Amino acid sequence: MAVAVDNLNNKPTQPVSSTLRFAFGNVLAFVILLLIGVLAFSIRLFSVIKYESVIHEFDPYFNYRVTQFLTKNGIYDFWNWFDDRTWYPLGRVIGGTVYPGLTLTAGTIWKVLQSLNIPLSVETVCVFTAPVFSAFASWAAYLLTKEVKGTGAGLTAAVLLAMVPSYISRSVAGSYDNEAVAIFALIFTFYLYVKTLNTGSLFYATLNSIAYFYMVCSWGGYTFIINLIPMHVLLCIVTGRYSSRLYIAYAPLVVLGTLLAALVPVVGFNAVMTSEHFASFLVFIVIHVVALAYYIKGILSPKMFKVAATLVVSVGLVVCCAVVAVLVAVVASSPTKGWSGRSLSLLDPTYASKYIPIIASVSEHQPPTWPSYFMDLNVLAFLVPAGIIACFSPLSDASSFVILYLVMSVYFSGVMVRLMLVLAPAACIMSGIALSEAFDVFTRSIKYYITNLSESLQIDAGDTVPGNNAAPQIDVLKNDKKEDSLKERPSRKNKKKEKEIEKPSVKSKTEKKPLVLPVEASFFALFLTVLLGGFYVVHSVWAAAEAYSAPSIVLTSHSHDGLHVFDDFREAYAWLSHNTEVDDKVASWWDYGYQTTAMANRTVIVDNNTWNNTHIATVGTAMSSPEKAAWEIFNSLDVKYVLVVFGGLVGYPSDDINKFLWMVRIGGGVFPHIKEPDYLRDGQYRIDSQATPTMLNSLMYKLSYFRFVETDGGKGYDRVRRTEIGKKHFKLTRFEEVFTTHHWMVRIYKVKPQKNRIRGKTKKSKSKTSSATPRSGTIKKNPWH
Amino acid sequence: MCKYGFDLLVVMVLVFAVYFGPVRSDLVISKLDRRIDLTSQIVRVTLTLKVENTGLDPVSEVSLTFPEHQANNLALLVAISTEGRGKTRGAATNLPIKIKQPDDSPPLLIWYAASLPKELNKGESLNMDVLAVFTHMLQLFPEKITQAESQLFLFQDSAHFTSPYNVKIQSVTVKLPSERVEAYTKLENTKFSGSEIKYGPYESLPAFSYSPVVIHFPSDKPFVVAKELVREIEISHWGNVQVTEHYNIIHGGAQSTGEFSRLDFQARPHVRGASAVRNLIAMLPPRAHSIYYRDAIGNISTSNIYADSSKTLLEIEPRYPMFGGWKTSFTIGYGLPLQDCLFQLGGTRFLNITFGSPMNDVLIENLTLKVVLPEGSRDVSVSVPFSVKQSQETTFSHLDIAGRPTVVVEKVNVVPEHNQYFQVHYKFNNLSLLTEPLMLIVGIFSLFVACIIYMHADFTISKSSASYLAKLQWDEVQGTIQQLQVIINRCLSIHDKLEASLRELSRTGDVQACKAVRKSADSLLKDLSKESKSLLATLQSSPQAAHILPKVEELVVKENDLQEKIMLKHTMVVDSYEKKSGGRDMESRVSSIQQKISVLKQEVDDLIEFIEDI
């Protein structure tokens, strides 16, 4: 749409000197970009306006906590931070296991604002980091698309990216997550790569490595870049497009980029050791061989070259075989073939569900459904093919890169719904190109028609009505118009004037007559395109306002008597933070770990950084065990409070009972005495009277439904499962309810302290434990005993 | 219970003092009426006494004594003297009070001297009203209760007012929060009616007489104690006074032990959790706006505002109902219109605003009050109606350079009675208001200037580097091509003129005029072609133009072709007019040329467009 405005605004301008018009075009583009930035920022503010300025969901709370630590203690303490408030008793080395890009970015912004005496809290800065960076991302998309297809396409792509729902879902105000800055870094790295490819300038190549470094700092998705760019280089070499520009675009990136990436603690030597980076080094070797071949070809006569080639190829093949054999042996010796679990699940979509239940249990790691493509991309999904076609006419290095990017990201988005985010920019760029080309054709057709019309009128006037008084006037009019159109030409030239030298040479070969459509068709098509754009805008605004702006820690529901707010999570966390001892340990399922440490400032056993499967399995085992066994596990872990999320009273579906099977699965994966079938009745998961006794006696069931039956006069109707609960009246012996929130969504229990020993009872308990020992001897029941 | 023992010790000492202590001057309290209000956590003692001078010397001050354990918790002591009685009661005077410890005082007794407005001569008498407000006077007993129990308190005092003077007649009334009482000390003349216990009247008691009483009573009042309250008042001369209050609150009642059952609390809120803090009500000034209520983890949605013209009521609920010993912290903030709080008096301005918390029945243990004045304020002074700790600091906010002068006032044990108006006087020049906007304007302006300079200046380090030279050459090439385009456009416009002259010819038949036009056009075109040739030569010499040269050359050639064809057409048409030859013949010849012309025109147009795109 930006193009349409652009063209329209250009037409009525007065014929003035060309420099002024040049400036005008630039200023117009600048203003449009500025407006796109404002749009990208403001469309993400729905969450603040509808809810409040608050950090969303789970991971952002961790990032927020790290940022707070950074701003309070400085960068060196941050690098050396060993966090003893999570993964008790193991702790976690935060400085070495976190991607620091986002935190450092927000911390720097905060520092700068502080030094300017602008008193914004760290929280505010964190909340608004994502919208600010999405504005940057749309500008980066403009730059990238401009490199590929010119300013018009760039502006269109930028405006599409500014409001693509997929990206909005990850970058609304408050969604303080790595992806928020990483998408900007991703697009910007691609832009600099394409820019280097177009100019062959070492300056841009160096900038490109720095942008890549920023990306490595920000997100684990950097491996996408370091695999995509080598693939493109390989593509260029295979299709005979090797040039010195390609070499300059690639070689410095690998050398500098890898060195810089190794500086990030969380990557470290992974930058050279893991298979994710292997492709880049392989292509690095290939490009050098090719460069050498080209060089030798240049200095040798063709005949000599042939001889040399056969010699080198035969020797080279032997060496290569040896190297490949060694590599294969090394790679095969590692159990995961040198790939990390998440990467493997990308290559083999069924890998996670087979081997890593923790990865599989996260909803955003599931493959997307078809409607989610429509939800997240909307009309872009239909425009992308047109964009691909536009990229092929003509195919340049840059446009082939964009096509490759699109194809790869389509594949990855098909594996994991969360990688839809990587697809979104590619789809926007493609659709931007498509829309811009379409507008180009339609407006050109209309313009052509108008000039033709005036010419034919002129001829008619001149030929058929000689001697008519009115004719000269018409002539004058037409002449003026014609002069206008003549003088308009320099402006368009100036606007598109770019300092690339290479592009025209490619273009000149494929230059052909412009496509002109019939005027009615182009008017109609123009109308339809605008309508399509309109649909997209409406959908995006709806998605931003309704679908993606809920912060998930505050829930609202509209009932007949107005808005109802469910603020139970924060109620529970506030209670924990104010009314328990600072060093008390809180056990909950790992989903709530980050929030507990950030909001309640209490030590947790497991959290959303699921690095230790055994530890999570221990908690899962405790939750699925009967009360006594669970109490023993929790006691051995020093746990003081157990927190469960329960939605049965108000109908909140993502509660712990619904996640319970994952606890069983993950727990059973490490401690085999927990068996999934014990919790299922005929393969069905149920909590009503048909449920298995193991299920009804599990700690999770008891903690969730403790005294629940009294709320509705003896029925115990669970509003999420839509059934009456199976076991209604029971007592807790080793746990004590200490807090339940207003809507019962969070329930906190205290683990009762060990009972005093009574003389008479010791014998009895001894005999009991002795009978239990043989079992616990054979089966690993509790890792802490 | 330890404290209880300590109190017994006090009693013993006091009783001891009765016999050995000095008798102060010759004042006699002829009537003393004491009312103790135990309905809330803040104990308010009201004394109504009549002082008579029986000695010879005039007396200028009256001493009031309190046991040390009470005096330590004394938050406020006000004495008012009134003249006359009943209907003829005169104007009340607030008596200044200071601690004045005599050397021969009995131990564990603190003396307060209220200086009288005028000396009391022999035989004269004076009516005094004294209000003493104590905090932390109620002792929890038991200290821990479960959710279902109600909290019980012990209150200990003396049935006799420990006065340094002889008291002729006195009585004390204790008001309890409810009609229930667990136990109380029964002395002679003790009466329990309704929710009041009355001791006395006792007659002719000597100085320092002491008779301990203990009352054990239940109270369901929530004991809201703010461990710390930081009030920040920020004045903006753009029209707003922003008040921000950070509360750190604890329920000071009996500690809740055992389990908390939400079910019980929701089903029978007044039995299970009777003493829980459910809500707090803050009385904000009228026209308070932009009110917010939040804590460290975000907005708290449970609040209501009821506003009318005289006040704004803010009802807030903590995130969870607070039981004994439970803590919470939150922040409330609101803005007030400037004209409601800030006044001008001569050259100085002064802020007039209340001192304490706007909430009722909240005891504040530590109050820190910060008044942030606008940047550039001078001569700051504070006047508070009671003693406080004062200091000054500087706050930096919103683009400050010198910082904002900030008055910090600290006080411990603040009770609602302290919620009085206080003033901060300062001088301020209105022009200082413009500093920050001007700074922004200058900043943004200089940014633009810097941009302009950057765009127009040449920052190349090496003027002889290859890339710089290439860039210069490229610029030159572009300039040349532009010139060439101008020339070609002019050629095209001349073509148009020629065509126009032909049309004119067909209309008027004026051959001569048409010829004249052609002549002039001919000479012009020749000039132009010369120019274009020289430009082409420069292009050919430049290596940068190599890739574009063929197109440009093609363009020039095509244009020349077009020129020739048009001239030809022109000559033919003119000739035919001159010879008056048959139209049909001419038309067929012209049309063939016309076809070629239109093809050439299209080609030229395409070429121009292509060159423009570079």
Side-chain angles (χ1 to χ4, degrees), chain B residues 174-187:
Chain B
V174 182
K175 176 145 177 47
L176 300 176
S178 69
E179 295 185 1
R180 288 177 297 141
V181 67
E182 205 76 3
Y184 60 96
T185 313
K186 291 192 177 83
L187 302 172

Side-chain angles (χ1 to χ4, degrees), chain A residues 18 52 54 116-119 123 462 466-467 472 475 482 486 489-490 493-494 496-497 501 507-508 511 513 565 567 570-571 574-575 578-579 599 707 710-711 736-742 744, chain B residues 258-264 266 294-299 301 319-320 325-329 396-400 478 482 485 489 496 503 506-507 547 601-602 605-606 608 610-614:
Chain A
S18 64
E52 55 177 290
V54 73
L116 289 175
N117 278 332
I118 298 174
E123 192 191 0
D475 266 5
K482 219 173 169 196
L486 276 176
R489 278 169 183 152
K493 180 209 77 180
N494 282 327
K496 289 195 176 172
K497 188 166 76 177
I501 309 158
K507 215 177 168 186
S508 61
E511 178 66 23
K513 258 191 143 181
V565 180
D567 204 357
R570 286 193 294 187
E571 184 182 344
W575 185 86
H578 287 115
N579 298 307
M599 283 199 263
R707 296 189 72 185
E710 295 170 50
T711 53
E736 181 183 59
E737 183 186 11
V738 284
F739 190 72
T740 297
T741 56
H742 189 251
W744 290 51
Chain B
E259 66 177 28
F260 161 68
S261 166
R262 174 69 71 167
L263 182 77
D264 290 339
Q266 280 172 339
R294 57 166 295 148
D295 65 2
I297 55 176
N299 178 52
S301 53
R319 283 198 186 273
Y320 39 86
W326 287 15
K327 290 174 219 151
T328 191
S329 63
F396 286 92
S397 165
H398 293 297
L399 301 169
D400 285 347
Q478 278 189 327
Q482 247 176 54
Q485 274 182 343
N489 278 340
D496 287 346
R503 281 197 293 275
S506 71
R507 203 157 54 82
H547 67 277
K601 246 187 188 167
Q602 187 59 44
D605 271 356
D606 285 356
I608 288 176
F610 172 70
I611 290 170
E612 273 171 3
D613 280 351
I614 294 160

Side-chain angles (χ1 to χ4, degrees), chain A residues 70-107:
Chain A
L70 172 71
T71 50
K72 210 179 280 170
N73 300 331
I75 180 85
Y76 289 105
D77 280 348
F78 167 64
W79 286 126
N80 299 324
W81 187 17
F82 177 81
D83 186 10
D84 58 355
R85 304 203 76 82
T86 61
W87 292 97
Y88 182 84
L90 308 171
R92 177 184 171 193
V93 186
I94 300 269
T97 58
V98 78
Y99 285 100
L102 175 76
T103 319
L104 291 179
T105 307

